[in-house]
DNA sequence: AAAGGCGGTCTCTTTTCGAGACCGACGCTA
DNA sequence: TAGCGTCGGTCTCGAAAAGAGACCGCCTTT
């Protein structure tokens, strides 16, 4: 039970990872972005055990990342990305960038091209104010409102901190 | 043994995930980017079992993501990010962006500010040719050199495909 | 000599995973 | 209408991984 408690920490990296950080979840989402929607297609595409897939799809639906519905034409089930799930795409592209750079000795297996353009999709880290490109060295962490709310919730609002 | 075999697939999302896709690995790296270098600091910072931490640090060192060395001043061990490890930062920032957007009801717990600037670090997906911002809908996958090399390796070079 | 910090190991129990059989519902087709 | 294939989904069971916590040798400090 210790691991799940990490989701309560006031950290926007930790909280998603409690949901996404396991063997299969991000691979399932990768398939979803590739257009896969059906249970059996996920299963055969990844080789994931059926019971595991069932569990992971359920969790993603519970978190509002996938939406389960009946297909319009037939009557089989469909798992589609919600808006929230769709927003995960930059994460997968960031992983791909790293994979292309460090785990693809023969060059990228797949180009992710811009529709009707010679270019390719790339993830960049930049300042949303001045637009300058950034690396980890340029980043300074600073407490935000979510942290203060967390402190209030844990130690009670109206006090300065855990001194009592 | 099935899961590890995914690392052989010609996919730059799958291959990194076989290394990074488990409960703790990305959390350990998050700590590393926060400046943590010592075994006990990782352990107490995350609450990870010591044996688990030992295993994960070893794997990250094996993959050249962390480098283990003796500290300059004292004689304790130090785990530092290599260049390859440093390049993982956009992945963590992409996760954070999503966490801030979808799992931080009270606002971001932490701002990741640009040094000496009011702005904040943001991940964006854009075309490396025309610079236009992109989403999953704008991306068209296309076979790259790594895929062809993989086909050659599996089916033998000099043939057109798996027809033999 | 005692105490405490360090990275690291070992053991034991619980949890999760993997493989594959199995299920009912539905749609074909003979 | 009986047989067959496909669909999403469930169940069982042995194997692998995770969690906890004690334990270790080494070193420094007191």
């Amino acid at each position: 039970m210790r691991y799940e408690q990490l989701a309560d920490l006031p950290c926007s990296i930790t909280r998603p990872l409690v949901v996404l950080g396991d063997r299969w979840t991000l691979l399932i989402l990768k398939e979803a972005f590739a257009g896969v929607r059906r249970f059996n297609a996920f299963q055969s595409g990844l080789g994931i055990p059926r019971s595991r897939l069932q569990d992971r799809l359920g969790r993603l639906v519970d978190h509002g990342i996938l939406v389960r519905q009946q297909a319009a034409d037939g009557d089989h089930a469909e798992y589609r990305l919600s808006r929230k799930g769709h927003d995960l795409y930059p994460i997968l592209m960031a992983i791909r960038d790293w994979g292309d750079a460090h785990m693809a000795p023969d060059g990228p297996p797949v180009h992710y091209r811009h529709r009707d353009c010679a270019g390719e999709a790339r993830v960049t880290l930049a300042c949303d104010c001045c637009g300058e490109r950034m690396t980890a060295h340029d980043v300074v962490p600073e407490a935000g409102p979510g942290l203060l709310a967390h402190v209030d919730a844990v130690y009670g609002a109206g006090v300065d901190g855990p001194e009592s």
Side-chain angles (χ1 to χ4, degrees), chain A residues 12-61:
Chain A
S12 283
I13 298 174
T14 304
R15 295 208 275 233
L17 279 177
V18 172
V19 179
L20 306 172
D22 73 278
R23 290 192 159 186
W24 295 109
T25 301
L26 283 171
L27 290 172
I28 289 169
L29 290 164
K30 175 206 120 192
E31 293 288 297
F33 276 108
V36 172
R37 290 179 189 164
R38 295 168 69 158
F39 187 92
N40 284 350
F42 284 109
Q43 199 279 317
S44 58
L46 293 170
I48 179 176
R50 300 178 69 81
S51 49
R52 208 62 36 223
L53 177 59
Q54 180 65 11
D55 176 71
R56 291 298 182 271
L57 289 173
R59 285 163 73 147
L60 288 169
V61 169

Side-chain angles (χ1 to χ4, degrees), chain A residues 13 124-128 130 132-143:
Chain A
I13 298 174
T124 58
L125 186 67
C127 177
D128 67 357
C130 65
E132 195 176 319
R133 292 195 60 163
M134 296 173 65
T135 74
H137 299 306
D138 307 314
V139 172
V140 179
E142 179 188 306

Side-chain angles (χ1 to χ4, degrees), chain A residues 14-119:
Chain A
T14 304
R15 295 208 275 233
L17 279 177
V18 172
V19 179
L20 306 172
D22 73 278
R23 290 192 159 186
W24 295 109
T25 301
L26 283 171
L27 290 172
I28 289 169
L29 290 164
K30 175 206 120 192
E31 293 288 297
F33 276 108
V36 172
R37 290 179 189 164
R38 295 168 69 158
F39 187 92
N40 284 350
F42 284 109
Q43 199 279 317
S44 58
L46 293 170
I48 179 176
R50 300 178 69 81
S51 49
R52 208 62 36 223
L53 177 59
Q54 180 65 11
D55 176 71
R56 291 298 182 271
L57 289 173
R59 285 163 73 147
L60 288 169
V61 169
D62 289 344
H63 280 92
I65 293 169
L66 294 180
V67 178
R68 187 186 189 283
Q69 55 192 205
Q70 293 304 110
D73 57 328
D75 49 1
H76 58 268
E78 253 188 13
Y79 294 91
R80 311 190 63 150
L81 288 159
S82 68
R83 172 68 200 282
K84 183 174 175 181
H86 192 261
D87 288 349
L88 289 165
Y89 199 62
I91 297 175
L92 292 177
M93 285 297 106
I95 292 170
R96 169 190 74 103
D97 269 4
W98 189 83
D100 279 349
H102 296 285
M103 299 190 84
D106 301 316
V110 177
H111 293 298
Y112 293 79
R113 292 218 179 282
H114 192 188
R115 187 182 299 282
D116 307 323
C117 177

